[in-house]
Amino acid sequence: ASLSTPTGTTTQSIFGQIYEAGVTESFGPHPDVRAQVGYGLPTANPQYENWTWVNATYNTQSGSNDEYIATFVAPAAGSYRYAYRFSLDQGVSWTVCDAATGDFGAGANFGLSLEFSTLPVLTVTP
């Protein structure tokens, strides 16, 4: 979902979920999973271009998914995209998640591609 917030204020809570067979089914966070929410310019690819990332914290178990939550202080006024990324190796490598429903937001997982156009929009007002 797209967000709109004034510059310099904290965003509303942003939630992200991860499912990984053998990892997320058990109640509570898995020690190897890391989650971050980030934002960048609308033309910057979060897989390899300059984005700002903020650590997310475990929120709850949602079926077999682990749900994470984070906020950040809104940057300068303008239009941005935002996304979650997850790591299964304590932050060594990351998978950026899009909002495409066909692959359940799998984003940059092996064999899939990040659908950049489905990343939600963050509008920051003066």
Side-chain angles (χ1 to χ4, degrees), residues 14-33:
I14 303 169
F15 300 90
Q17 292 188 4
I18 179 174
Y19 168 76
E20 182 69 26
V23 176
T24 61
E25 294 97 345
S26 298
F27 183 78
H30 190 280
D32 292 337
V33 175

Side-chain angles (χ1 to χ4, degrees), residues 54-76:
V54 175
N55 290 330
T57 57
Y58 178 82
N59 185 48
T60 190
Q61 190 73 28
S62 178
S64 294
N65 297 352
D66 287 350
E67 182 177 272
Y68 288 80
I69 186 172
T71 62
F72 55 84
V73 175

Side-chain angles (χ1 to χ4, degrees), residues 41-59:
L41 295 174
T43 57
N45 189 316
Q47 296 175 106
Y48 54 83
E49 293 187 274
N50 190 27
W51 271 47
T52 300
W53 296 99
V54 175
N55 290 330
T57 57
Y58 178 82
N59 185 48

Side-chain angles (χ1 to χ4, degrees), residues 61-117:
Q61 190 73 28
S62 178
S64 294
N65 297 352
D66 287 350
E67 182 177 272
Y68 288 80
I69 186 172
T71 62
F72 55 84
V73 175
S79 182
Y80 302 85
R81 297 232 182 222
Y82 71 97
Y84 256 89
R85 69 180 184 176
F86 292 94
S87 173
L88 296 173
D89 54 16
Q90 299 185 14
V92 175
S93 60
W94 295 92
T95 296
V96 179
C97 302
D98 58 32
T101 57
D103 61 5
F104 303 100
N109 273 343
F110 181 75
L112 301 171
S113 60
L114 179 69
E115 293 188 38
F116 191 70
S117 64

